[in-house]
Amino acid sequence: MKYYSYIRKSTSNQIFARQLRQLTDFAKQDGILPQDYKLDNDLDKNKNNIKGLKKDSELGKYITLVLESRTGTDQSRPALLRLLETLKYERTKEDVCLLLVECTRLGRSYEGNMKLFQTLKDHDIKFVVTTMPILDTRIKHNNPATALVSDIVLAVFNWLSEQEHTTTLERCNAGRQQAKARGVKFGRKNMTADQLPEEFIKVIKSATGSETVTALLDSVNGKLSRAGKQSISRATFYNYKKIYEDSL
């Protein structure tokens, strides 16, 4: 049987490592990975590009990894859609199985998740939720009642996942509204002229008025680069220019 795993994080600030550890712990216990496999070796080897684990890793020899940074409410995630097509194609040649650390990694929508799981079933693609042993379709349930319980657990868990996500959003929105009522301001703080980068000030002060915005921007970014600072975009340049002019 050929194994795949879909690992998702919602934001760029989160990391894949926790899910990878849960996946490898399960795979070693299940016999998919050798007992002497050490995830840390792969993480150290690919620390500058963890997505390299998909191809250049010991883990990748046993489990094809698909990693994606997208919110679970988005049902049109490119990596997930490509994975589904790959699973359908590979299933025509051999048995395949999708390993999920949690149902929530597949998505946060009850309806969306149920459709995805049904698609897997329709194409006889096995799947395992590693944190819930009852959700292992590699096991043939001779007892119809056991299979029914598995389907019920799957439905309930997906519903709870969506409710949890909805409740979290509602609490965040309520907290934000209460904070606004107390006078708390959200978003980026307004910048003052004395906070503008000195490189920008130098270029603007030395400008004759005949330069194009592109030329001024290139000059500013050149100075920022030489100072080891991050370049700015055209939109930021216009914003800085307005702040500077308003202060005159």
Side-chain angles (χ1 to χ4, degrees), residues 101-119:
V101 173
E102 302 161 349
C103 290
T104 56
R105 296 307 89 200
L106 201 59
R108 285 285 188 176
S109 163
Y110 170 78
E111 182 179 357
N113 272 15
M114 294 308 294
K115 284 182 178 179
L116 289 172
F117 281 117
Q118 189 59 51
T119 297

Side-chain angles (χ1 to χ4, degrees), residues 7 15 20 44 52 85 101 104 135 138 151 158 181 185 190 198 230 235:
I7 295 180
I15 60 175
L20 287 169
D44 289 341
E85 292 306 312
V101 173
T104 56
L135 298 180
R138 296 174 303 174
D151 288 342
N158 281 321
K185 293 184 178 180
N190 293 330
E198 59 179 331
Q230 187 175 358

Side-chain angles (χ1 to χ4, degrees), residues 191-196 200-201 203-205 207-209 211 213 216 236-248:
M191 179 180 285
T192 59
D194 59 353
Q195 294 175 314
L196 294 171
F200 172 83
I201 298 295
V203 171
I204 290 298
K205 284 187 174 180
T208 62
E211 300 91 346
V213 172
L216 291 173
T236 301
F237 177 87
Y238 280 119
N239 185 39
Y240 284 0
K241 187 171 182 291
K242 185 178 186 305
I243 293 172
Y244 176 77
E245 292 174 346
D246 289 346
S247 69
L248 297 177

Side-chain angles (χ1 to χ4, degrees), residues 144-158:
T146 305
L148 178 60
V149 169
S150 176
D151 288 342
I152 292 174
V153 169
L154 183 62
V156 170
F157 193 84
N158 281 321

Side-chain angles (χ1 to χ4, degrees), residues 104-239:
T104 56
R105 296 307 89 200
L106 201 59
R108 285 285 188 176
S109 163
Y110 170 78
E111 182 179 357
N113 272 15
M114 294 308 294
K115 284 182 178 179
L116 289 172
F117 281 117
Q118 189 59 51
T119 297
L120 296 176
K121 288 183 178 180
D122 290 344
H123 290 82
D124 195 24
I125 297 167
K126 307 300 181 185
F127 64 85
V128 179
V129 180
T130 64
T131 52
M132 300 189 74
I134 195 172
L135 298 180
D136 184 347
T137 61
R138 296 174 303 174
I139 302 172
K140 292 185 178 180
H141 298 296
N142 296 322
N143 185 346
T146 305
L148 178 60
V149 169
S150 176
D151 288 342
I152 292 174
V153 169
L154 183 62
V156 170
F157 193 84
N158 281 321
W159 180 81
L160 289 174
S161 174
E162 181 176 290
Q163 293 304 305
E164 177 189 13
H165 180 69
T166 301
T167 301
T168 300
L169 289 179
E170 289 175 349
R171 287 175 178 171
C172 288
N173 289 332
R176 190 176 292 109
Q177 293 302 320
Q178 291 175 9
K180 285 183 177 179
R182 296 194 305 270
V184 176
K185 293 184 178 180
F186 293 88
R188 184 179 297 177
K189 294 182 179 180
N190 293 330
M191 179 180 285
T192 59
D194 59 353
Q195 294 175 314
L196 294 171
E198 59 179 331
E199 293 80 7
F200 172 83
I201 298 295
K202 288 180 181 179
V203 171
I204 290 298
K205 284 187 174 180
S206 63
T208 62
S210 61
E211 300 91 346
T212 64
V213 172
T214 299
L216 291 173
L217 180 59
D218 287 344
S219 181
V220 171
N221 282 335
K223 290 181 180 296
L224 289 171
S225 178
R226 288 190 290 275
K229 299 179 181 179
Q230 187 175 358
S231 299
I232 63 173
S233 66
R234 182 178 288 264
T236 301
F237 177 87
Y238 280 119
N239 185 39

